[in-house]
Amino acid sequence: MTTTKLKPDWAGDDLLSRLVNRAIHTPALYALMKRQARQVLIKTAEKNGVPWRQTCAELDTPEMRQRLEALTNPTVVYPDYYQVPFHAYSEGNLCWQAAFEAAPATYAMALRVWPQDDLSWQEAQARLRQSFLTVLDQHGPAQVHDILDLGCSVGISTLSLHRHYAQRNPVRTVGLDLSPYMLAVAQAQDTQGEIAQWVHAAAESTGFAEACFDVVTMQFVAHELPRAATQAIFAEAWRVLRPGGVLAIVDNNPQSPVIQSLPPVLFTLMKSTEPWSDDYYTFGLETALSEAGFEPPMTVPSDPRHRTLVARKSAR
């Protein structure tokens, strides 16, 4: 009988995980891993026609820096977990390089989900987003008017979400992120002004009134958080959702055979750029959602690497 492992052997407190973590915490090895992780992404992107360097050059303008100043909320306090190196950037998401490279990196990530399929990066990205939206359609509310995308990064997830629901009826969509650099790029890419607000705030404390959204999403955000932050965000999402509204999460699937069988080079590189990996892969999101007040969530493996969870706030 085949038993499904709950997590990869390279995450948590297993021997393999401890060995990988020891290597990551060796400064010389970490520096090498960080460089290699970037090269893997850039190589995947440019080999498949993603204009990585061109995109970065086009975004680097004086107007972009003006957007940063206008979008930055001076009262925001950055939590400790957000001020550590990740994604191969010493300053994490609080720098221009991370913001300029976020879209090409996202496109490269989608290509790696279906390596055997002959997909363009545009097709892979569309399939990635649709796999999440299909589950949300099946288990989300029938009527959606107000949407909040938490940890929206440069707005790819926000625009995809907004356009999906706007086909049915007018919707108000808000993108929220803790990095004003990411938000500046997101606003610049929102050329038609489709998104109602780009908000610089912590997802744990959005500043929105109670019960003002029908759908809240966290798209590829949870794996970047320590569990205490995830729990706080779940509580905030429950607060701002209307009764009957849902929190929808898409992220790495700890039970995915693809994730569990990653080659040592790849999982070591991934852990070197994701400081909260062990916390994510050993944390029960379903239990945490129930503890935050949501009804038992629906969990669906939405593509070979990722799962989608949809948790409803009781209508009673």
Side-chain angles (χ1 to χ4, degrees):
M1 186 174 77
T2 302
T3 302
T4 302
K5 292 191 295 184
L6 296 179
K7 66 168 187 64
D9 292 336
W10 46 261
D13 197 40
D14 292 357
L15 176 60
L16 179 59
S17 178
R18 293 201 301 271
L19 290 172
V20 173
N21 289 345
R22 188 176 303 165
I24 291 170
H25 287 94
T26 303
L29 283 175
Y30 172 71
L32 176 63
M33 290 175 195
K34 191 167 73 168
R35 287 196 299 273
Q36 287 299 109
R38 276 178 50 76
Q39 289 307 311
V40 167
L41 275 176
I42 294 172
K43 182 177 178 181
T44 299
E46 296 195 330
K47 182 175 122 181
N48 289 277
V50 177
W52 187 292
R53 292 176 177 83
Q54 179 184 341
T55 297
C56 295
E58 290 174 351
L59 290 172
D60 192 3
T61 65
E63 291 77 17
M64 191 66 74
R65 283 157 175 74
Q66 291 171 6
R67 289 182 188 277
L68 176 71
E69 185 176 351
L71 284 164
T72 298
N73 177 357
T75 68
V76 165
V77 176
Y78 296 107
D80 290 343
Y81 74 80
Y82 201 72
Q83 299 184 74
V84 298
F86 64 94
H87 286 181
Y89 305 109
S90 299
E91 296 168 284
N93 279 345
L94 294 172
C95 65
W96 283 120
Q97 187 179 29
F100 292 164
E101 295 186 340
T106 299
Y107 301 148
M109 181 268 284
L111 284 163
R112 298 182 73 84
V113 176
W114 297 278
Q116 305 306 318
D117 293 2
D118 185 19
L119 299 175
S120 68
W121 66 264
Q122 295 93 335
E123 291 168 334
Q125 187 62 209
R127 185 187 287 189
L128 178 72
R129 299 299 167 182
Q130 189 56 51
S131 64
F132 167 66
L133 294 168
T134 296
V135 179
L136 184 50
D137 278 346
Q138 292 168 345
H139 303 288
Q143 294 294 319
V144 175
H145 302 287
D146 298 283
I147 304 166
L148 175 61
D149 187 26
L150 295 174
C152 68
S153 183
V154 294
I156 297 170
S157 59
T158 321
L159 285 164
S160 172
L161 187 66
H162 175 82
R163 289 167 181 169
H164 180 72
Y165 281 107
Q167 296 176 69
R168 309 172 192 179
N169 56 264
V171 291
R172 167 182 166 265
T173 303
V174 176
L176 180 146
D177 203 271
L178 197 46
S179 169
Y181 298 89
M182 296 288 179
L183 291 170
V185 174
Q187 188 184 65
Q189 299 301 296
D190 181 19
T191 56
Q192 302 301 311
E194 297 171 73
I195 305 306
Q197 288 177 271
W198 297 104
V199 176
H200 180 210
E204 300 94 318
S205 181
T206 64
F208 289 107
E210 293 183 10
C212 60
F213 292 100
D214 304 301
V215 171
V216 175
T217 65
M218 294 173 64
Q219 301 184 54
F220 307 104
V221 174
H223 73 276
E224 297 179 351
L225 303 169
R227 65 185 63 197
T230 301
Q231 290 168 322
I233 292 169
F234 286 175
E236 177 68 354
W238 190 93
R239 186 187 70 82
V240 301
L241 278 168
R242 296 185 177 112
V246 301
L247 170 60
I249 301 162
V250 60
D251 218 308
N252 297 338
N253 184 0
Q255 296 185 31
S256 159
V258 176
I259 293 288
Q260 293 190 355
S261 61
L262 285 175
V265 170
L266 286 183
F267 67 64
T268 302
L269 288 179
M270 186 171 76
K271 287 194 78 174
S272 74
T273 62
E274 300 285 0
W276 306 110
S277 286
D278 286 333
D279 229 19
Y280 173 75
Y281 285 105
T282 58
F283 182 47
L285 292 185
E286 291 91 343
T287 299
L289 286 164
S290 296
E291 290 174 348
F294 290 95
E295 296 178 358
M298 180 66 63
T299 303
V300 178
S302 43
D303 69 48
R305 287 176 177 252
H306 305 114
R307 60 178 171 174
T308 293
L309 298 88
V310 183
R312 186 178 300 273
K313 181 176 180 178
S314 175
R316 293 177 294 174

